[in-house]
Amino acid sequence: MRDGQCCKSFPKQFKDDTEENVNGYPIYRRRATEPVQVGKYSIDNRWVVPYNPWLLKKFNAHINVEVCASVKSVKYLYKYVYKGHDAASVKIQKEGALDHDEILSFVEGRYVSAPEAMWRLNEFNLSHKSHTVVRLAVHLPQQQPIVYQDGQEAQAIERAALRKTTITSWFELNKNDPSAHNISYSDIPQYYVFDKSTTNWKKRQRGGQNVIGRLPVVSILDSERYYLRMLLLRKSGAISFDDILTVNGLRCITFQQACQEYGLLRGDQQWHDALNEAAQFQSPRQLRMLFAMICGFGEVEDVPDLWVQHQVSLCEDFVHRYSEQTGPHYALADIEELLTSYNLSLQKLHLPTVDLPASVLERANFDVVEEQAKANSYTMQLNSEQRNVVEILLSAVYNNAADTPKCYFLDGPAGTGKTFVYSTLLHTIRGRGDDVIPVASTGIAATLLIGGRTAHSVFKIPIDLNATSTCNLKPNTKEADMLLKTKLIVWDEAPMTHVHAFLAVDRLLQDLTKCKEPFGGKVILLGGDFRQVLPLPLQCYPSIQDPIHQLYSDIDFSSVTPQELKGRAILTVNNERSMEINNKVLEFMPGNETVYKAVDMIMSEDPQDQLTFPEEFLNSLTPTGLPPYELKLKIGCIVMLLRNLAPSKGLCNGTRLIITKLQQNIIQAKSIDGTQTFLIPRIPLIPSQTNMPFKFKHFSENTAGVTYYCVIVTGQTQVRIHDRKGGMNPLPPTPSSRMPDKLNSF
């Protein structure tokens, strides 16, 4: 008891379900029961400690059982490892005697527990230190900590002025030793030893692999030290505090301003810099696409100001074609079209709205005459089985008979012409002036369908799915009207989609159409190959000692073409191994290597959370779907996107691109076939599925992710073989008569 209250917070509250408590132990389910009278006390479930009946019977002892579901509870568990052996304090004293031998009492009264006795008999180490942790100073100029006694403050200040700290000594090391220029402040203890007598860094002779440099955690309330620490984690070779404050030849006034110039803080300056860089070598059309990406993903604070400052470069082509007065209107209309992919509009971004005819710009609408011509051409190339599939689907679309099935599944192995059947249906229905929606489970598969998009973007399917998930698409919107008007929904790679996604779409369409039939009575065609989703054991070949040499030894990287590289891949079982191989292959490529570092931050405004999880800890995390903290790239390497940037333009999750230019704020890349050029800005990424007790934002320099020399397969030694739909296919699909497609209604 403490102040009349139980220190363990008993009695607990009644709970119907167990709830997670990040700041401690879970709040367990406690059913409301009738109290039991024990003596003069009335006790119910609120007083019961967590226990396990099996353990109580097994050991015949009182054992508390708790679920370690948070960082704090895990720390509480681990602290018992360092508490040492069980001990008891016993005092032996003769009655009435004043003399007491403390040493003799300790020797005679101390006991050794069974676990400690076993470890001592077997001569095991009771404690062991694997690494040496070196604490590095982080202080502002002339603000290093000093130790003094009352009345000797002046002498202590004089001593501190002559004595160097680890950071000021690091500045001197960078001045005198060129080999230290590429080593960051936090990594310097691995290569140098700080001599406290001379306060200098000296070359380490051995043991550097077991040394860790640690910067003390600084509260964001101590703002200048906080931003100085952020710069020390990234800047290497600094020779003074002024050198740290200097960015691109200009000296900043504060460390916060220096972080802002480096793009380490949230703000719009990085977006202005990205557009300025792109304006030097890209067309206005590409700039408008970059502007839309930044608005869609970049978390811009002031979009109107971004438009005003870059209006000249964004409207240059339209001003030249029309006039200075009407050019910005055409540019805004083009941006409005690009923003639809991100569910945004000019009005939502507080930009000037325009009203121009739909014919003045390239629209997503399809020309009916052109679609009819393509439909006739495709229909002539169908084999008998494929023609039968098309006729059945067209009959279901345009036949309103009540007994006509509305849901179909098109099955067939790879290469049997499923995509060709889809294209024929799309051209035929669009040629009749009707709407059809092609979707796929992945962005890469969606690019193979004419006008295709991912199912998540069309139906607004949530990322975290369960049996009761619903789509985030509201009625009386443009997207809802599009679903109501469509004649056919084509869903490719359906076997790779979770059943909860289909249930969510089924609920959505039933709500929109006010019809209780499956998928609201809409004709839907699911397609795919169930043979491609069966798990197969991964064969291991231990005789291949150097897969990089075996796969790339015949390539001259000075003259290699993307076509020679895109067909070569190494299968790995985890991301760590794939990054190791990627970096080794990157060393073979000519040219200078560019390293992009991400900015990780806790998604919390509580300063205590920022102290609990320092930035270097966040940098070490690599959840699924995020690029590494340090991304190494070279011009000419092949990369893979990790986000759906612009599915309608071919920039999807999984799209492979070739790096053509590496800038500080943007990356220029072209499609694998070399027909299109894209600009990739910095984009914040938030892990959607993680078991960590907190959320953090990974502000990557780009979304390209890992270099595509390895096909990454994370998890166990079970891989899913699937149809490889890499890159963009500019040529129309060709029919195949190797094996007919099978159409089943359900």
Side-chain angles (χ1 to χ4, degrees), residues 300-530:
V300 186
E301 297 177 0
D302 193 347
V303 176
D305 180 66
L306 193 69
W307 159 256
V308 171
Q309 293 198 30
H310 302 276
Q311 178 177 335
V312 175
S313 56
L314 293 169
C315 308
E316 185 178 358
D317 55 343
F318 288 118
V319 169
H320 180 72
R321 186 185 309 174
Y322 301 103
S323 65
E324 293 185 0
Q325 290 74 27
T326 60
H329 296 282
Y330 287 94
L332 286 171
D334 191 20
I335 293 174
E336 173 92 19
E337 193 71 25
L338 295 170
L339 289 174
T340 55
S341 300
Y342 313 108
N343 197 23
L344 293 174
S345 64
L346 297 177
Q347 184 178 5
K348 290 182 180 179
L349 298 176
H350 306 289
L351 291 173
T353 57
V354 294
D355 186 14
L356 293 176
S359 59
V360 298
L361 296 171
E362 295 179 3
R363 301 296 180 181
N365 298 330
F366 296 92
D367 183 81
V368 175
V369 177
E370 183 180 354
E371 292 298 315
Q372 289 176 353
K374 291 182 178 179
N376 295 332
S377 175
Y378 277 50
T379 304
M380 294 176 60
Q381 303 179 60
L382 295 173
N383 60 32
S384 59
E385 294 292 336
Q386 294 168 342
R387 188 183 303 275
N388 184 41
V389 170
V390 173
E391 291 175 353
I392 292 176
L393 265 299
L394 292 178
S395 176
V397 169
Y398 294 103
N399 188 355
N400 295 325
D403 57 344
T404 303
K406 299 295 181 65
C407 301
Y408 298 86
F409 188 90
L410 182 62
D411 175 66
T416 56
K418 296 189 298 295
T419 305
F420 190 79
V421 172
Y422 303 149
S423 301
T424 305
L425 289 169
L426 297 179
H427 290 309
T428 303
I429 296 176
R430 288 167 180 163
R432 299 184 183 184
D434 296 322
D435 295 331
V436 57
I437 298 178
V439 299
S441 58
T442 63
I444 289 297
T447 59
L448 300 181
L449 302 175
I450 304 172
R453 293 171 57 188
T454 60
H456 281 73
S457 64
V458 172
F459 303 110
K460 303 297 184 293
I461 303 174
I463 300 298
D464 297 326
L465 287 169
N466 54 54
T468 60
S469 296
T470 58
C471 297
N472 188 22
L473 196 153
K474 299 180 180 179
N476 301 323
T477 60
K478 183 173 64 175
E479 293 82 3
D481 293 339
M482 179 183 65
L483 292 176
L484 290 174
K485 292 189 300 182
T486 187
K487 293 292 186 179
L488 174 66
I489 298 175
V490 178
W491 195 323
D492 193 17
E493 301 295 347
M496 296 184 183
T497 306
H498 199 281
V499 63
H500 292 162
F502 292 115
L503 294 176
V505 174
D506 182 35
R507 297 188 190 97
L508 170 66
L509 294 177
Q510 289 187 21
D511 291 340
L512 293 178
T513 60
K514 309 299 181 182
C515 177
K516 295 304 179 182
E517 295 184 15
F519 297 100
K522 289 291 182 181
V523 180
I524 183 170
L525 172 61
L526 307 180
D529 181 10
F530 284 103

Side-chain angles (χ1 to χ4, degrees), residues 30-68:
R30 294 177 181 270
R31 299 173 179 174
T33 59
E34 294 293 332
V36 178
Q37 195 70 24
V38 180
K40 63 179 181 179
Y41 299 103
S42 179
I43 301 175
D44 53 26
N45 263 354
R46 295 176 297 172
W47 296 92
V48 178
V49 299
Y51 68 95
N52 183 284
W54 185 87
L55 291 176
L56 297 181
K57 295 179 180 179
K58 174 70 175 178
F59 297 100
N60 193 25
H62 173 72
I63 301 175
N64 288 1
V65 178
E66 296 279 1
V67 177
C68 294

Side-chain angles (χ1 to χ4, degrees), residues 10 88 168 195 198 281 359 402 453 474 554 573 611 672 676 696 717 725 738:
F10 283 94
T168 56
D195 189 345
T198 62
F281 57 88
S359 59
R453 293 171 57 188
K474 299 180 180 179
D554 60 330
V573 295
L611 293 175
I672 203 72
Q676 290 182 285
F696 78 100
T717 56
K725 298 179 180 292
R738 181 167 60 89

Side-chain angles (χ1 to χ4, degrees), residues 180-232:
H181 289 177
N182 295 326
I183 306 175
S184 64
Y185 182 47
S186 59
D187 293 337
I188 208 70
Q190 299 181 22
Y191 307 94
Y192 294 85
V193 179
F194 186 72
D195 189 345
K196 295 183 179 180
S197 60
T198 62
T199 63
N200 290 319
W201 289 101
K202 296 182 180 180
K203 199 77 173 181
R204 182 178 293 276
Q205 302 299 324
R206 62 184 182 275
Q209 65 275 10
N210 294 327
V211 179
I212 302 175
R214 280 288 181 264
L215 278 67
V217 179
V218 180
S219 172
I220 194 172
L221 301 178
D222 189 0
S223 59
E224 278 300 278
R225 281 189 66 216
Y226 177 84
Y227 296 121
L228 171 62
R229 185 182 187 276
M230 185 179 293
L231 293 170
L232 290 174

Side-chain angles (χ1 to χ4, degrees), residues 2-20:
R2 184 181 299 120
D3 297 331
Q5 299 291 332
C6 176
C7 60
K8 303 300 182 182
S9 301
F10 283 94
K12 306 290 187 178
Q13 296 180 358
F14 289 124
K15 287 288 182 181
D16 295 331
D17 299 297
T18 300
E19 297 179 1
E20 182 180 359

Side-chain angles (χ1 to χ4, degrees), residues 159 179 222 254 397 434 731:
R159 290 194 304 269
S179 61
D222 189 0
T254 63
V397 169
D434 296 322
L731 301 177

